Amino acid sequence: MKPFLIPLAICSGLVTGMAHAASTAELTVSGLITPMACTPVLSAGGLVDFGKISQKDLNQATATRLPLKTLTLTVSCNAPGRYALRMRDNRDGTAHVNSEIYYGLGLDTAGNKLGVYSVKFDPKQTVADTFPVTYGTESTTGGVAWRTSNTNPIDIGSRSLLGFTDVVGSTAGPSAIQNLTSTLTLEAVINAKQNLDLSVDTLMDGSATLEVVYL
């Protein structure tokens, strides 16, 4: 038996060393705490009320677009700084259209998806500090790359960043801004009536959180 003891001991040592090397990983936690603080405020407390809608006014086989609604957003910061906006759906999973720019309106009593809404920012209706002209830009890469800035309206998304700059044609992202005011347009769409149970009063229950992301 002795001739086997040394080879076994060497083999065991090699396995132990390899296991030790493969079973460790280094974790690094980083970040930057900034004194910058911004407060977003929506007009009317952020409430958009379409009132009572008769099910007779809804399309049977196609979606029904409701009248456009507008809100005013103000973002006030304690100092100029670079930031962007994004919106989180508090009714995630209730939108009947799969896209990051559409947010759910809740479910009917049978669990069917009631509809969607979107929120559009228009740089032409946006005032930022003393910028002579405000341009919009967005990033789908978490701020790594930015779309060329222009005055085209932008639908805010749940996975994209939306920002503003005073430089046209720029891919550098948002400029430093302290005070911003923008008119938002909300468009709501109700699912086709044939897909819903509207035999009882059905509450449109959309809810989202607008977030300031510091860059």
Side-chain angles (χ1 to χ4, degrees):
M1 297 293 294
K2 285 186 178 181
F4 294 97
L5 290 178
I6 295 177
L8 285 174
I10 294 174
C11 182
S12 175
L14 289 173
V15 172
T16 302
M18 291 174 63
H20 177 73
S23 299
T24 62
E26 183 176 334
L27 172 66
T28 301
V29 180
S30 65
L32 177 67
I33 299 175
T34 175
M36 181 181 176
C38 298
T39 302
V41 177
L42 287 167
S43 60
L47 175 63
V48 176
D49 187 0
F50 286 93
K52 287 190 175 182
I53 303 169
S54 173
Q55 57 91 13
K56 290 184 178 180
D57 295 329
L58 301 179
N59 299 326
Q60 177 65 27
T62 60
T64 303
R65 296 182 181 276
L66 301 183
L68 299 178
K69 298 284 188 176
T70 59
L71 285 168
T72 300
L73 170 70
T74 60
V75 180
S76 303
C77 306
N78 61 352
R82 298 179 70 246
Y83 63 85
L85 304 172
R86 67 183 169 201
M87 198 159 73
R88 182 179 71 252
D89 193 355
N90 298 329
R91 301 293 181 264
D92 193 27
T94 71
H96 72 285
V97 179
N98 184 22
S99 170
E100 69 159 322
I101 67 168
Y102 290 118
Y103 303 84
L105 288 172
L107 307 173
D108 64 16
T109 55
N112 301 308
K113 298 175 180 180
L114 192 58
V116 298
Y117 64 96
S118 60
V119 177
K120 189 183 300 294
F121 283 72
D122 188 349
K124 296 177 183 177
Q125 299 185 58
T126 302
V127 177
D129 291 339
T130 58
F131 293 177
V133 181
T134 303
Y135 304 95
T137 183
E138 63 181 336
S139 173
T140 59
T141 59
V144 175
W146 292 87
R147 190 194 71 178
T148 302
S149 59
N150 56 60
T151 57
N152 297 332
I154 306 173
D155 289 301
I156 189 168
S158 59
R159 299 185 299 275
S160 299
L161 299 178
L162 184 155
F164 298 96
T165 178
D166 58 338
V167 184
V168 65
S170 171
T171 57
S175 298
I177 297 173
Q178 183 166 4
N179 296 299
L180 179 140
T181 302
S182 185
T183 299
L184 317 183
T185 301
L186 184 145
E187 181 178 18
V189 179
I190 304 300
N191 200 349
K193 189 162 60 172
Q194 66 185 15
N195 299 328
L196 301 172
D197 178 4
L198 303 176
S199 58
V200 297
D201 285 349
T202 303
L203 178 67
M204 292 171 56
D205 186 32
S207 174
T209 300
L210 188 67
E211 180 185 4
V212 176
V213 180
Y214 302 102
L215 303 175

